[in-house]
Structures are given as C-alpha cells and as structure tokens.
Amino acid sequence: MTQPQGIAFYDFDGTLASCNVVTQYAFVARHHPSRPRAALKFARLLLAVPFWIGLDLYSRRRFNEMFFREYRGLSRAWLSEVADELFQRVIRPSIFPGARALVEADRASGFRTVLVTGTLDLALKPVVRHFGFDDVICNSLIFEDGAATGEVAAPLIAEREKVEAMHRLSRSRGLDLARSKAYSDSISDLPMLEAVGHPAAVNPERRLRRVALERAWPILDLKQRQAGPEPIAPSRCRTS
C-alpha cells in the first residue's frame, strides 16, 4: 500500500456542512422520548440562542464546554438509536454540494483524510461512512450508568486542542504537517490552518476571509462547487 504524502484535515460545521452542534442538539431535544421533556429542552434552547451565539464568538472552547451540558441525563442507548435519523434528516441535507468531491479529490491525490471537529462522536458515525474518512478527531460525552453526565472526555477538542490532536495523529502515522492540508470556515480554527503547509479557507466568515486574502491562502466555496478543487499550488501556501 502506498504511503500517503500527507494528511488532509477537515473541520465539519460550516466547512463541509451548514448544520452545527446547535441544530444537531435541537433535533435531539425535539425528539426526546418524553414529550414534556422534549418541549422543555427545545424551548430552553430557543430562549438561549442569543447567549450561545455570543459565547461562541467569545470562545469556541468555552462554548463547547458549556453547550454539551445540555445533553446531561440523556441515554447513551437512545442517542445511538437516533444517530442515523439525525444524519438523514438534519446532517445529510446540509452537506454542501462540493464537500464530498473535495474529500475524494484529496484522497485521489494521495492524502489521508481526517475529520477534525468539535462535534460529538455520536453524530459522526454516519458522516464518516458517507465521506469515507480514514480517521476522526472529535469530542465524546462521558456516561455514567448509561446516562450522559454533561461532561466531555478530555481533551476537549476546540481551537488549539485541535492542533495538538493533529500533531499526535501525524506523529502516529509518520506524516509531516508541513506537507498536509487543512480546511475550515472559522477564525476560531486559525491555529489549525496555521499548523499545516497547505491551509485553505472554506466558505469563510468575514475575519477568516480577511486573513486568507492577506496570506494568499486558497478560498473555496463548497456551497456551489460541484467538483473537486484544483491541486493547491505550493507557491500560494504557507510552507513553514
């Protein structure tokens, strides 16, 4: 088997799909087996949306840490059962038209494909099957007696923790980050993009777009693109 030339790391929320941890939890909350609890959880989520938006702008790590507490008390067995329905009804329709072609193009070019996201693992198994990722770096809930505690297993994946996990994976696979790629839509993932030799901004929000333009990074629009991108030219990318 041919050794991959590097790793292609993909953020998920906003990069490959328009859904995010909030819309995923909204589906879970609305479909709770107990109708009164479902109504309560969903109503509480709607009322807290402005708070969650502000917290996410302040710190993605702090957002993840606090938001996943909403899962407290939910059954591991039930969350596993609802994962495929969550994918079919929420995640799959939100996947951008050019997302799968991007992953397939990198794989065809000899890159190991890795999903690196703050999303919970319980929502990602169908995503991994859909894209055929080689590895996944993500968050996992802690369960006691079959119920979620609201805590996340360490290390919580966000911001610079993503970079540390990328370094660990690259070392374990014997691959060089300087020859690797990374894709994200958010300025919170700037450390992730700076960690590789070939970063690209995907559907970037305003702040990341500005950085990408200043550094001459490729900017991709997967919302419209139907085919894989052209190979990234090394001369346009950071190599140190």
Side-chain angles (χ1 to χ4, degrees):
M1 184 174 179
T2 304
Q3 173 77 354
Q5 62 171 310
I7 301 175
F9 296 97
Y10 313 84
D11 173 55
F12 189 66
D13 298 0
T15 301
L16 300 182
S18 62
C19 71
N20 53 48
V21 295
V22 176
T23 56
Q24 292 164 25
Y25 175 75
F27 177 86
V28 170
R30 285 166 49 203
H31 291 80
H32 191 280
S34 166
R35 287 192 176 183
R37 288 194 67 187
L40 177 62
K41 281 181 172 291
F42 190 66
R44 187 170 66 183
L45 175 64
L46 290 179
L47 290 172
V49 165
F51 168 77
W52 293 124
I53 292 174
L55 184 60
D56 186 46
L57 290 172
Y58 171 71
S59 169
R60 179 62 56 84
R61 175 183 173 82
R62 186 60 176 157
F63 170 87
N64 284 354
E65 192 174 55
M66 293 185 65
F67 186 78
F68 291 139
R69 293 175 186 171
E70 298 296 315
Y71 281 84
R72 185 185 295 117
L74 295 181
S75 161
R76 182 204 292 266
W78 179 73
L79 288 171
S80 297
E81 288 175 7
V82 81
D84 282 330
E85 187 177 2
L86 170 63
F87 176 74
Q88 293 297 337
R89 296 181 60 179
V90 177
I91 299 176
R92 185 168 188 168
S94 78
I95 294 174
F96 295 129
R100 193 165 179 176
L102 172 67
V103 177
E104 290 175 351
D106 284 336
R107 184 182 297 112
S109 296
F111 287 85
R112 187 175 186 86
T113 60
V114 177
L115 185 63
V116 52
T117 173
T119 301
L120 293 172
D121 56 355
L122 61 91
L124 292 177
K125 289 182 180 180
V127 174
V128 173
R129 291 196 299 267
H130 179 78
F131 285 95
F133 289 115
D134 294 304
D135 294 295
V136 180
I137 297 169
C138 63
N139 283 314
S140 301
L141 291 173
I142 295 174
F143 293 88
E144 290 182 1
D145 299 323
T149 65
E151 302 298 317
V152 176
L156 187 147
I157 302 299
E159 300 170 345
R160 293 198 174 277
E161 287 82 359
K162 280 190 175 184
V163 177
E164 294 174 7
M166 289 163 62
H167 277 288
R168 288 193 296 270
L169 180 64
S170 63
R171 286 194 297 268
S172 71
R173 301 300 182 188
L175 297 171
D176 188 355
L177 286 184
R179 301 183 63 186
S180 297
K181 301 181 178 184
Y183 303 91
S184 181
D185 69 304
S186 174
I187 194 69
S188 67
D189 280 333
L190 185 58
M192 167 184 168
L193 296 173
E194 291 175 330
V196 299
H198 304 290
V202 179
N203 320 315
E205 45 93 2
R206 178 179 53 83
R207 292 174 295 173
L208 181 59
R209 177 177 289 275
R210 184 170 63 247
V211 171
L213 290 172
E214 290 172 352
R215 303 186 186 184
W217 290 350
I219 297 176
L220 306 180
D221 181 1
L222 298 187
K223 297 177 182 179
Q224 303 298 329
R225 198 173 192 120
Q226 299 296 328
E230 297 177 359
I232 295 175
S235 60
R236 297 181 61 200
C237 303
R238 175 183 176 276
T239 56
S240 60

